[in-house]
Every structure is written in structure tokens, then in C-alpha cells.
Amino acid sequence: MILMAVDPAITAGAIVIYDDDKIKLLLAISFKHKGKQTQEKRLSFLYDLANENCNDVDHIIAEKQFVDIMSQSYGAVAAAAGKNNLTITKFAPKQWMKILTGSGKCTKQDTENYIKENYNYLYEQIPELERNEHVFDACGMLLAYIKQQGLE
């Protein structure tokens, strides 16, 4: 099963496509580039990235926050899922953290450390320059979904 995990955020984010214990694609996203300063342009960019990378994907996992601007980012990912007839699993941050680590009160550093210690094969596939909180959040959601569904 090919999975896409998306950490949609305000100024940055990440998309990870995963299949058979391997990262097929990792996109660390920055919205700070010229031309992406408005929320509408950031949402359009996120939608386009998710939509363009849905080929062969079976399921999408995305973080859903309840802050208005973050909900809009989730909406862009959900629209791409709908356009490609894909189902989407949404996780609140504390929800996926609890499934993955047993605690919903993890810090960003705790998530990275947990992945490094428990899923080192995945950690080692992430290029050092791409290791940031958004990439680890996307990987954390992905691993939580795999664990929740019994796909390990």
C-alpha cells in the first residue's frame, strides 16, 4: 500500500510518500518563496503539490488542526484527495502522537527521537538537510496510521 502523509502548516510543511518500508518521495515545503506570501497562494501551492504527487497513492494521511488557517491547509490536501478519488485519514496532533508513542504530549524533539530510536530504518532514509519538525510530523502520522491499521 502506497501512503502519502502531509504535514500542512502555515509557513512550511512536508509531504512523505511511503511504500514497503521505503520513502519514495520526501518534499520539505517552504512557503517563504517569492510569490507565495498570501494564504490563497500558499493553499494553491499546497493543493498543487499534493495533487501532482497522488499518482499510485492508495491513501492520504494528514494533520488536521483546529486553528482556522491550519484547517484551510488541511482543506487543500483534502481537496487533492477528493480530486484523485482517495480516502484521507485526518489526525489531530495529539491523536497521532498518542497512537505512535503512547503519549499525546510529545514535543517535536520527542517525535524525532522516537522515530530515530524505534524506526531507525526510516530515520536513516531522511537526508540530513531535510530533517526538520515538519518531516518528522509527516513521518510520525504515517507510522501512527500504519500502527493503527495493523500494517506493521
Side-chain angles (χ1 to χ4, degrees):
M1 176 181 274
I2 301 174
L3 302 171
M4 174 191 282
V6 184
D7 178 36
I10 297 170
T11 60
I15 294 176
V16 174
I17 298 180
Y18 178 85
D19 181 29
D20 196 29
D21 292 338
K22 291 185 178 53
I23 294 175
K24 292 181 64 173
L25 176 71
L26 186 147
L27 298 170
I29 305 165
S30 173
F31 298 119
K32 295 179 182 179
H33 300 335
K34 187 176 180 179
K36 296 183 186 68
Q37 289 86 7
T38 68
Q39 179 63 1
E40 291 78 14
K41 288 182 180 179
R42 287 191 294 268
L43 291 171
S44 178
F45 180 68
L46 182 58
Y47 168 82
D48 288 344
L49 269 181
N51 186 48
E52 290 166 8
N53 289 288
C54 281
N55 297 337
D56 301 322
V57 168
D58 297 305
H59 190 78
I60 297 178
I61 303 110
E63 191 170 72
K64 172 113 167 79
Q65 302 231 0
F66 301 101
V67 178
D68 183 48
I69 198 165
M70 298 292 281
S71 286
Q72 292 174 9
S73 295
Y74 168 81
V77 176
K83 180 174 175 77
N84 291 279
N85 296 315
L86 296 171
T87 56
I88 187 167
T89 295
K90 60 185 173 206
F91 282 129
K94 291 182 183 205
Q95 181 185 17
W96 68 258
M97 288 176 190
K98 184 160 180 65
I99 292 167
L100 182 64
T101 69
S103 171
K105 298 181 180 182
C106 298
T107 65
K108 301 286 186 182
Q109 189 61 52
D110 291 338
T111 300
E112 178 180 348
N113 291 342
Y114 187 86
I115 292 170
K116 185 176 182 178
E117 292 168 14
N118 296 281
Y119 297 93
N120 193 261
Y121 72 92
L122 183 66
Y123 182 87
E124 292 298 323
Q125 293 178 54
I126 303 168
E128 194 167 330
L129 292 175
E130 302 293 331
R131 293 178 183 167
N132 65 51
E133 64 187 63
H134 303 291
V135 169
F136 287 113
D137 279 359
C139 288
M141 281 182 279
L142 175 77
L143 293 167
Y145 177 80
I146 289 168
K147 191 173 188 179
Q148 181 187 55
Q149 298 299 312
L151 300 173
E152 293 182 291

